Amino acid sequence: MNPRILPYVLILPVTVFLCMFFLYPFVLVAQQAFSTETGFSLDNFREVVDYWRFPISLQNTLLLAAAVVPFQVGLALLMATMVNRMKRGRDMILYIWTIPLGISDLAAGIIWLAIFDQSGFLNSMMNGLGVIDQPVNLLSYQNPGMVFLAIALAEIWRATAIMLVILVAGIGLIPKEYYEAAEVFGASPWKRFSRITLPLLRPSLQTALVLRVILAFEIFAVVAALGGTLFPVLMGETYAYQFDLRNGGAAAAMALIILAISIGFTLIILRALRVPKGASI
Amino acid sequence: MAEIQIKNVAKSFGAYQALNDINLTIADQEFMVLLGASGCGKSTLLRIIAGLETATSGEVWIGGRRIDHLSPKDRGIAMVFQNYAVFPHLTVFENIGFGLRMQKLPNDEVTRRVERVAGLMHIEMLLKRYSGELSGGQRQRVAVARALAMEPDVILMDEPLSNLDALLRMEMRAELKGVLAESKTTAIYVTHDQVEAMSMADRISVMHEGNIVQAASPIEVYRNPAAEFVASFIGNPPMNFLPANPQGGGKWSVAGQTWDGPATEKPLLQFAIRPEDMMQTEEGLTAIAKVVEPLGAHILVTCDVAGSQFRVILDSEMSVRPGQKLTLSPQPGRARWFDPETTLAVA
């Protein structure tokens, strides 16, 4: 076969697959979002944005992302550095730390519900220690901070490992000689991290952050399990439009808004962590 | 003053003994080359001096101060790495100034020093570039400039030219030697390239299996190798060896010829001679030419002498054909003798 067309032939199946199951449905969703019975209109967007729950769910989603993602970056960096320093047992620790990756987000939410629930571990523990006399409902509308904390904790527990895996791979790509040179030229361990590791890790940080931020805006199951309707988020609202209110147009509009936010943040991250020409490893 | 003293330094990696009891003194401003094949321990010794590796035992002193317990930055050293280790995310300017920034020197001082060494290494026009935009030779210059900018007492170089092409290597060799002499630093230079060692060193330490076999000036190492290993390692091609049997009274029989040698009671010696130190004579060793390689000014003739391979370098005026019989004798004073038991030179 002509070697010039061979690559295109080889990627044809996956291209067809993506067009059929990704691009085509996406076009349908976009069509649904931008049309009502009367034809093209922005009514669906107007409707979802004007609804009273929209600002609060947007705010909750952004707050959660703002609280969880930076913490996860820090934690993943710390864990990746530790794993990288390990001589023995490195792989085992890495496997153990990545176990939560194998658990679905709903299951993760339920695990943390079992901790924070009125009859959960936390209550029985506090009761056993005599901190409280009787079980309290931690996840109620009277404790919005607690609900937020529980969701944030569950998210950190569940989704830090994905960043960890990417960062461990990224740190492994940095040649050892850079650290030796930095050490000889007087860089302390902290300076070696901040002046060598961090800047050279930019490509991996980019990937990890983009992935994690997109997932943070799509948060749904953990919130549904722990907060229910107490803590509205964008994806929850989308679900409600589609399945509770049977308003497909509004749900499609919400989906596009989430997509737009994700794309916006992706561009910001790519821009902020870009590597100048000629400056890659 | 930055005299370096290495006292009884040994290093083992598990059961593997990388260095055995190394003792070496390097004078202030001396250019010392550690020469040896890969795995001989030369890089390990350099890394111990740099503080990137810890010796199993022994002491390292620089300028009268014991430094083997100090971190690299407190040893007054700078280093040039084999793969340059020029930081890809920093400009050439910031690379050269990296160590100065770590010392928190004021901006104008950093600029002054970076510009000075950049001028010295002829890379002033590259200061704003990243290493990805530089050639191998330019990166090498940045690595050297970064070390010089520290104005160190001692500069350590780990095969700094081995990744450059032949022509560039020759050019950098001369330049590096000039720059280092001017900077008045003590230099330790690790290489496996004997031409580099010969042309740059004040003194060469020839290393073999974790030991320093000989530490002497290049000419001394070449003319008077202290051990068989040095004789067979230095020189291209290296020395020829032939067994010598005692005839009594300092006379030794080498491949049927009787020559004057050391007056010793040893039952057997190795006669050794450089290829260029043999000349054609009326009487002498009988050598059958096997291969003749013209080298320009000279010809390299690989011969057979009493069943052993024997190389001689003769003037290219002479016409030698394969199969031809030559009679050869050593030039006066050029023959060397080694004790096969200890492998050391016998005077």
Side-chain angles (χ1 to χ4, degrees):
Chain A
M1 185 177 287
N2 188 336
R4 277 172 57 197
I5 36 175
L6 182 65
Y8 299 99
V9 174
L10 291 177
I11 60 167
L12 189 66
V14 74
T15 312
V16 171
F17 178 87
L18 283 176
C19 287
M20 272 174 65
F21 296 102
F22 181 76
L23 207 57
Y24 179 63
F26 175 76
V27 169
L28 287 186
V29 168
Q31 211 171 26
Q32 203 179 6
F34 283 107
S35 59
T36 49
E37 288 99 40
T38 55
F40 177 83
S41 94
L42 293 173
D43 282 350
N44 286 323
F45 289 91
R46 233 168 265 135
E47 185 191 337
V48 298
V49 171
D50 286 342
Y51 185 46
W52 68 273
R53 283 173 74 94
F54 181 80
I56 183 73
S57 56
L58 178 64
Q59 186 194 326
N60 282 344
T61 308
L62 290 175
L63 264 183
L64 203 57
V68 168
V69 175
F71 190 83
Q72 285 182 318
V73 174
L75 193 62
L77 274 171
L78 181 72
M79 290 159 83
T81 316
M82 284 162 71
V83 165
N84 222 53
R85 286 270 184 97
M86 253 172 234
K87 287 199 175 71
R88 236 176 286 168
R90 180 179 182 276
D91 288 354
M92 201 175 73
I93 295 288
L94 200 57
Y95 289 141
I96 291 173
W97 279 353
T98 47
I99 283 175
L101 269 187
I103 294 169
S104 86
D105 45 358
L106 184 60
I110 291 168
I111 289 172
W112 283 81
L113 185 65
I115 296 173
F116 281 96
D117 201 23
Q118 196 156 10
S119 55
F121 302 133
L122 192 59
N123 261 308
S124 8
M125 202 177 74
M126 287 199 298
N127 204 358
L129 289 172
V131 182
I132 48 172
D133 299 330
Q134 57 182 37
V136 288
N137 188 2
L138 295 165
L139 302 174
S140 79
Y141 69 95
Q142 289 148 317
N143 288 328
M146 203 60 181
V147 175
F148 185 85
L149 185 72
I151 294 169
L153 274 176
E155 270 298 278
I156 290 165
W157 177 82
R158 184 183 71 83
T160 303
I162 183 74
M163 302 186 93
L164 171 69
V165 172
I166 296 169
L167 295 184
V168 165
I171 289 178
L173 288 177
I174 302 175
K176 221 179 79 196
E177 231 175 16
Y178 291 142
Y179 292 104
E180 293 187 339
E183 193 182 349
V184 165
F185 287 100
S188 60
W190 167 249
K191 285 273 186 215
R192 267 174 264 156
F193 175 76
S194 64
R195 302 289 292 268
I196 309 292
T197 308
L198 272 188
L200 290 178
L201 207 52
R202 273 181 298 190
S204 309
L205 274 172
Q206 249 182 9
T207 312
L209 263 176
V210 166
L211 207 64
R212 192 54 209 107
V213 165
I214 289 176
L215 287 174
F217 289 125
E218 291 173 359
I219 186 168
F220 174 57
V222 170
V223 173
L226 288 167
T229 51
L230 293 175
F231 194 84
V233 288
L234 290 175
M235 213 35 118
E237 292 308 291
T238 312
Y239 180 90
Y241 275 119
Q242 181 70 37
F243 295 103
D244 300 342
L245 303 172
R246 304 271 164 193
N247 186 345
M254 282 296 284
L256 287 191
I257 289 171
I258 296 169
L259 178 68
I261 295 172
S262 296
I263 291 175
F265 272 91
T266 301
L267 291 177
I268 291 170
I269 292 165
L270 291 180
R271 173 86 189 152
L273 293 176
R274 78 189 185 288
V275 177
K277 191 176 156 284
S280 50
I281 294 176
Chain B
M1 281 296 286
E3 185 192 68
I4 304 168
Q5 285 172 295
I6 296 155
K7 298 179 181 173
N8 308 100
V9 165
K11 173 76 182 174
S12 51
F13 296 101
Y16 174 69
Q17 192 75 19
L19 291 174
N20 308 307
D21 196 34
I22 299 284
N23 283 287
L24 186 65
T25 302
I26 300 159
D28 182 41
Q29 297 185 31
E30 188 175 23
F31 195 119
M32 170 63 89
V33 170
L34 304 181
L35 175 65
S38 51
C40 71
K42 57 192 192 298
S43 286
T44 307
L45 182 57
L46 191 80
R47 291 168 61 83
I48 286 173
I49 300 169
L52 294 170
E53 209 85 67
T54 320
T56 312
S57 61
E59 299 173 7
V60 183
W61 295 65
I62 294 180
R65 197 165 58 108
R66 189 174 169 186
I67 51 101
D68 49 77
H69 59 287
L70 299 176
S71 78
K73 70 178 165 61
D74 300 320
R75 296 183 176 208
I77 54 148
M79 189 158 168
V80 180
F81 291 82
Q82 183 173 6
N83 301 319
Y84 321 133
V86 171
F87 303 124
H89 60 291
L90 298 177
T91 59
V92 168
F93 184 99
E94 286 304 326
N95 261 289
I96 299 175
F98 186 85
L100 309 176
R101 295 264 190 239
M102 291 299 131
Q103 291 177 357
K104 298 202 166 63
L105 292 187
N107 253 328
D108 52 338
E109 173 70 5
V110 173
T111 310
R112 193 186 62 76
R113 285 220 222 165
V114 169
E115 279 171 359
R116 191 183 68 84
V117 294
L120 220 53
M121 297 306 298
H122 309 292
I123 45 173
E124 310 94 313
M125 62 294 179
L126 304 176
L127 287 176
K128 290 198 175 71
R129 301 235 198 127
Y130 288 104
S131 82
E133 302 164 292
L134 303 180
S135 68
Q138 289 170 329
R139 265 179 239 181
Q140 180 56 61
R141 284 169 186 278
V142 174
V144 174
R146 179 172 62 184
L148 290 173
M150 299 292 286
E151 300 178 0
D153 299 329
V154 177
I155 194 161
L156 307 173
M157 285 170 278
D158 189 2
E159 309 230 12
L161 304 183
S162 62
N163 288 349
L164 301 180
D165 62 58
L167 202 64
L168 203 54
R169 205 179 317 167
M170 210 158 80
E171 195 184 301
M172 280 299 287
R173 212 157 67 197
E175 202 177 322
L176 208 51
K177 190 176 176 177
V179 166
L180 284 170
E182 209 169 307
S183 70
K184 300 198 189 307
T185 47
T186 310
I188 306 182
Y189 187 106
V190 163
T191 184
H192 64 268
D193 181 339
Q194 50 169 300
V195 180
E196 231 168 83
M198 283 283 167
S199 62
M200 298 178 83
D202 291 329
R203 239 170 3 128
I204 298 176
S205 295
V206 183
M207 294 189 66
H208 182 50
E209 290 176 351
N211 295 298
I212 293 182
V213 187
Q214 186 173 16
S217 74
I219 295 303
E220 179 71 10
V221 166
Y222 187 77
R223 284 287 166 223
N224 298 313
E228 258 188 73
F229 171 76
V230 182
S232 61
F233 184 71
I234 303 271
N236 186 23
M239 281 184 136
N240 296 297
F241 294 95
L242 288 172
N245 294 302
Q247 303 291 305
K251 300 273 185 201
W252 295 82
S253 153
V254 180
Q257 297 295 304
T258 304
W259 288 324
D260 285 331
T264 154
E265 298 299 311
K266 302 277 181 196
L268 185 72
L269 286 184
Q270 286 280 1
F271 162 85
I273 185 88
R274 294 241 166 248
E276 68 271 27
D277 289 342
M278 292 301 281
M279 53 185 184
Q280 272 188 299
T281 46
E282 292 288 311
E283 279 186 34
L285 289 180
T286 308
I288 311 294
K290 293 281 184 201
V291 183
V292 180
E293 296 167 69
L295 303 173
H298 304 281
I299 49 172
L300 171 63
V301 187
T302 306
C303 321
D304 181 288
V305 173
S308 311
Q309 180 175 281
F310 196 92
R311 293 197 191 88
V312 286
I313 291 176
L314 302 171
D315 196 284
S316 57
E317 292 278 286
M318 280 194 260
S319 68
V320 179
R321 281 175 315 281
Q324 192 178 329
K325 197 175 108 181
L326 304 167
T327 45
L328 304 164
S329 296
Q331 290 186 30
R334 289 292 166 85
R336 297 290 175 267
W337 307 82
F338 294 97
D339 180 351
E341 235 173 87
T342 58
T343 79
L344 297 178
V346 181

